[in-house]
Amino acid sequence: MRPTIPQLDTWNLEGLHRAAEAARANADILSTSVDDCSRAVSTAGSWHGQTKDAASRRIDEEVDHGYEVRTVLLRVADDAEDAYQGLNHSKTYVLDQKNLAVAQGFAVAADGRVTHPDPEKEGDAGVFQLNLMSGLDEIERLDNVFGTRLRESVGDLGAMRDGQPDITLADGSVQDPDAVAIRLASMSPDERATFLAGLSAQAQRQLVIAAPEKLGNLNGVPFVMRIEANEINVRNALTSERAEPNRDESRITQLEAMLAPVPNPEGTGTLAAAAAATGKDATPRLDMVDRKFVMFSTEGNGRMIEMIGEMKSGAPGVGVYVPGTSTNLNGSGSNHVAAWNLADKSGSPVFLYMEGDFPQSLTSPSDGAPSPGFAADMAPRLVDFGREIDREVAATTPGTPVSYVGHSYGGSIVGSAEQLGLRADRILHASSAGTGVFDTGWNNPNPDVQRYSMTAPGDLIGVVQSYPHEGLRIPGAVGLPGNPHASELLGGDPDELPGVTRLDTGFYSDGSTDHPNEVVFGSDGHGKYWDDPNSTAFENIVGVISGSDATAYVERGIETRYVDIGLGDNGDGGKEAFDAAKAAGAGALADAFGDPNLDPYANPHITDNPQLGEKIDVT
């Protein structure tokens, strides 16, 4: 409902907060109880026979039922708390605007209309009225959204009082949802998609409640179902982690952040890094939305695929962002912020792709960035997920271009996936580790794919890109292995390949925290532009995803007190290695003389070509 301002002034929303706490507490009690019951039966080692078998089967059924009820209780708790937070913020905003307007002599009607006896203040009255109407609109939206969700949850609880109800399939038959979930797991993605398209919305929701851990990560399951399932999976993971005797507090913080609302990326402004790390936005807005995950797992270092924005008609593009070395679930806040800002600035849905373990070390040959194993493992998954994106695009916004952006090690993952047949409309290698780990060319089934790349001058990844695939053979010395991210046919440097358009990393914006208005350069040039949504490099990523325009590459001469990168150094492995060695030597020498924090790339000065490149159309 849409309240009047006097009605809103009487709303007491604390009951929603108390309801959320009660539902969560009851979910915890239920979970502990069924776990204790299951444990008691399973540890009865001296008891055997038909009675034991029957009791075990019955207990398993009740444990499963208990988990399903817990799932709905946690959904009630989450929705009630989100409703409380959103409505409370909107209520405060509307009443503050009303009080401010009245204090300045404006008249505020019950429905939010604002007037003033002085005709010259008509414009100010319009601003107040717009603010009040926006706040009331948001209250109405929140009330409708969460009212519907809570009614559905209450209905689900009533329907499953004596067990999870059966669901009706497209052929009219009735089956237990757990059995249907097992059947789905044996299907191909195309078969799943066809099967699920024949179910009612109610049947789909019952399937999600019955088997969220299965449906959340199955290809062929519509994203809307995967998102609902993974919201449950994240809640369950948080509940389980909180119950651990040795809790991972970083994981708890991350899971809480994943369940906390964030500003809608279809609004304006940028998202701060602190907000994603804590789940608490420093400047709450009226248009807060839940985060959406189309894949989630606590396996390994933690895995997820987050969808930021909406798959809908009118979006100029769809983006998939694959980050690089050191990426993991607990530390994914900065990746989320970057993806959110890409979605915000491009007006397109963006997927943060973390469906696997990334190397956590820059140097370890066996389990660090030099290892091709992580890319070889993740590339086929990215190919499969690309098919799921194409399926969703065909269903929601046919013909919308899909772009893949691989940063650093993520560039190797994207390149390797394209070697295995990833279909894409646009590819962008951003400070990429290489072209792919397999000894083949790219095999994109789209003959019209557009490929782009960008690497900052002085970025140490340039040495890796230029390092020969076959390694180095020095007479009289042990041979050095080649670049594991360099395809035998393509080499390792996407910047230098025919058919790849190199873009300019350009300059940081005046709002950059670390390098305001400086040229993107050196070791920080490898990734700092991801933290600056108004930098040239970030805007180029936006341009590729949205299909607007981008800034073409300009080679520059750049020097600091310790490093001098001249024209012709970029792409020349020997010169790039020499430049990197000078920087490393300056740092080591400074460290030896008591200055461990010396940055040899600090205070860069452009000696050649300070201008930005020309704008090119991305179509």
Side-chain angles (χ1 to χ4, degrees):
M1 63 167 286
R2 183 185 185 88
T4 65
I5 293 177
Q7 287 173 332
L8 184 63
D9 201 15
T10 66
W11 277 15
N12 181 358
L13 298 169
E14 289 302 315
L16 273 172
H17 180 58
R18 290 193 296 271
E21 290 183 324
R24 186 168 290 110
N26 283 319
D28 290 343
I29 292 170
L30 178 60
S31 180
T32 301
S33 299
V34 296
D35 284 346
D36 289 346
C37 185
S38 177
R39 195 178 302 113
V41 173
S42 64
T43 56
S46 60
W47 180 23
H48 302 283
Q50 294 183 8
T51 304
K52 165 69 179 301
D53 295 341
S56 296
R57 284 194 299 271
R58 181 61 178 164
I59 290 296
D60 288 344
E61 292 172 359
E62 290 305 318
V63 167
D64 185 56
H65 183 210
Y67 284 148
E68 290 166 352
V69 174
R70 181 188 71 170
T71 289
V72 180
L73 285 173
L74 287 173
R75 190 170 68 189
V76 168
D78 191 52
D79 287 342
E81 185 63 24
D82 285 352
Y84 167 71
Q85 296 289 347
L87 289 170
N88 197 48
H89 169 70
S90 299
K91 172 189 172 183
T92 300
Y93 175 82
V94 168
L95 296 181
D96 283 350
Q97 287 291 310
K98 185 264 292 184
N99 292 335
L100 184 61
V102 170
Q104 295 180 24
F106 294 88
V108 178
D111 62 359
R113 287 175 296 170
V114 180
T115 57
H116 196 282
D118 185 350
E120 293 187 359
K121 293 194 174 183
E122 181 179 351
D124 293 334
V127 172
F128 275 121
Q129 180 169 304
L130 178 62
N131 292 343
L132 288 167
M133 292 296 185
S134 296
L136 291 170
D137 286 345
E138 179 66 2
I139 289 169
E140 183 177 26
R141 183 188 74 84
L142 290 170
D143 187 63
N144 289 336
V145 167
F146 289 109
T148 299
R149 289 186 189 176
L150 289 168
R151 280 193 298 272
E152 287 177 347
S153 296
V154 170
D156 290 336
L157 283 172
M160 63 197 306
R161 183 184 64 181
D162 299 319
Q164 181 77 338
D166 292 339
I167 61 174
T168 302
L169 306 186
D171 62 4
S173 63
V174 176
Q175 287 192 21
D176 176 77
D178 288 309
V180 174
I182 293 171
R183 180 179 167 189
L184 282 168
S186 66
M187 295 179 182
S188 71
D190 289 342
E191 289 170 338
R192 283 185 207 114
T194 301
F195 181 89
L196 291 169
L199 300 186
S200 68
Q202 172 68 18
Q204 290 179 352
R205 190 167 70 253
Q206 294 303 123
L207 265 178
V208 168
I209 292 171
E213 70 288 346
K214 290 186 178 73
L215 294 180
N217 299 335
L218 272 182
N219 288 332
V221 176
F223 283 0
V224 65
M225 291 182 68
R226 292 176 68 163
I227 289 165
E228 186 176 354
N230 283 318
E231 184 176 356
I232 294 168
N233 293 334
V234 173
R235 286 197 211 108
N236 289 343
L238 177 58
T239 299
S240 298
E241 190 60 50
R242 283 172 171 163
E244 290 290 332
N246 299 309
R247 303 180 357 159
D248 182 343
E249 296 298 336
S250 295
R251 176 59 55 86
I252 288 173
T253 298
Q254 170 62 17
L255 295 173
E256 288 174 340
M258 292 168 70
L259 291 171
V262 296
N264 190 340
E266 295 181 7
T268 58
T270 57
L271 187 65
T278 63
K280 299 177 177 63
D281 189 59
T283 54
R285 302 191 330 202
L286 293 179
D287 54 344
M288 303 292 278
V289 294
D290 285 339
R291 293 174 66 175
K292 301 181 289 290
F293 302 94
V294 296
M295 184 271 165
F296 169 76
S297 171
T298 57
E299 182 182 355
N301 292 319
R303 303 171 181 184
M304 70 176 185
I305 304 173
E306 181 173 9
M307 184 176 86
I308 301 169
E310 298 291 340
M311 300 281 281
K312 63 181 182 180
S313 178
V318 174
V320 181
Y321 160 40
V322 185
T325 301
S326 78
T327 296
N328 58 64
L329 186 66
N330 288 6
S332 62
S334 61
N335 303 122
H336 164 76
V337 169
W340 189 98
N341 286 324
L342 283 176
D344 181 54
K345 291 181 72 69
S346 69
S348 305
V350 171
F351 292 82
L352 170 57
Y353 184 84
M354 295 168 49
E355 193 181 10
D357 282 341
F358 291 78
Q360 300 299 298
S361 163
L362 285 171
T363 57
S364 173
S366 61
D367 60 358
S371 170
F374 301 95
D377 175 68
M378 216 178 306
R381 300 181 195 177
L382 182 57
V383 175
D384 289 342
F385 184 68
R387 295 191 183 103
E388 296 308 301
I389 290 202
D390 287 346
R391 191 195 309 277
E392 290 285 327
V393 167
T396 58
T397 173
T400 303
V402 181
S403 302
Y404 291 79
V405 182
H407 173 240
S408 191
Y409 196 97
S412 180
I413 295 170
V414 170
S416 302
E418 208 182 358
Q419 289 175 316
L420 297 179
L422 174 69
R423 196 216 68 83
D425 297 287
R426 304 180 192 118
I427 298 282
L428 173 56
H429 285 264
S431 312
S432 176
T435 58
V437 301
F438 304 110
D439 288 334
T440 68
W442 288 320
N443 294 296
N444 195 316
N446 177 9
D448 299 319
V449 60
Q450 300 173 46
R451 297 186 178 97
Y452 300 89
S453 70
M454 59 183 185
T455 306
D459 181 356
L460 298 181
I461 204 74
V463 180
V464 175
Q465 293 172 343
S466 299
Y467 195 76
H469 169 272
E470 64 277 7
L472 294 177
R473 298 292 181 266
I474 303 172
V478 177
L480 298 177
N483 177 5
H485 304 287
S487 161
E488 184 175 1
L489 292 181
L490 300 172
D493 192 349
D495 297 328
E496 302 293 324
L497 283 176
V500 177
T501 302
R502 186 168 183 180
L503 303 178
D504 196 358
T505 48
F507 297 84
Y508 298 103
S509 73
D510 57 5
S512 168
T513 303
D514 302 296
H515 305 281
N517 296 315
E518 279 188 7
V519 64
V520 177
F521 171 67
S523 55
D524 277 2
H526 182 65
K528 285 290 185 180
Y529 59 84
W530 283 94
D531 302 329
D532 183 2
N534 296 314
S535 64
T536 308
F538 197 94
E539 289 182 338
N540 278 342
I541 303 171
V542 170
V544 168
I545 293 173
S546 63
S548 53
D549 57 38
T551 304
Y553 173 64
V554 171
E555 184 174 14
R556 299 182 178 88
I558 303 172
E559 64 179 28
T560 70
R561 180 180 177 184
Y562 303 98
V563 181
D564 181 6
I565 294 180
L567 297 180
D569 287 9
N570 281 304
D572 185 312
K575 291 181 178 178
E576 288 174 325
F578 181 69
D579 294 333
K582 283 193 298 183
L589 188 62
D591 190 11
F593 283 91
D595 187 5
N597 297 317
L598 174 76
D599 178 5
Y601 298 102
N603 303 312
H605 170 66
I606 299 177
T607 58
D608 300 277
N609 300 326
Q611 77 282 0
L612 278 173
E614 64 178 10
K615 287 289 187 180
I616 58 175
D617 290 333
V618 177
T619 56

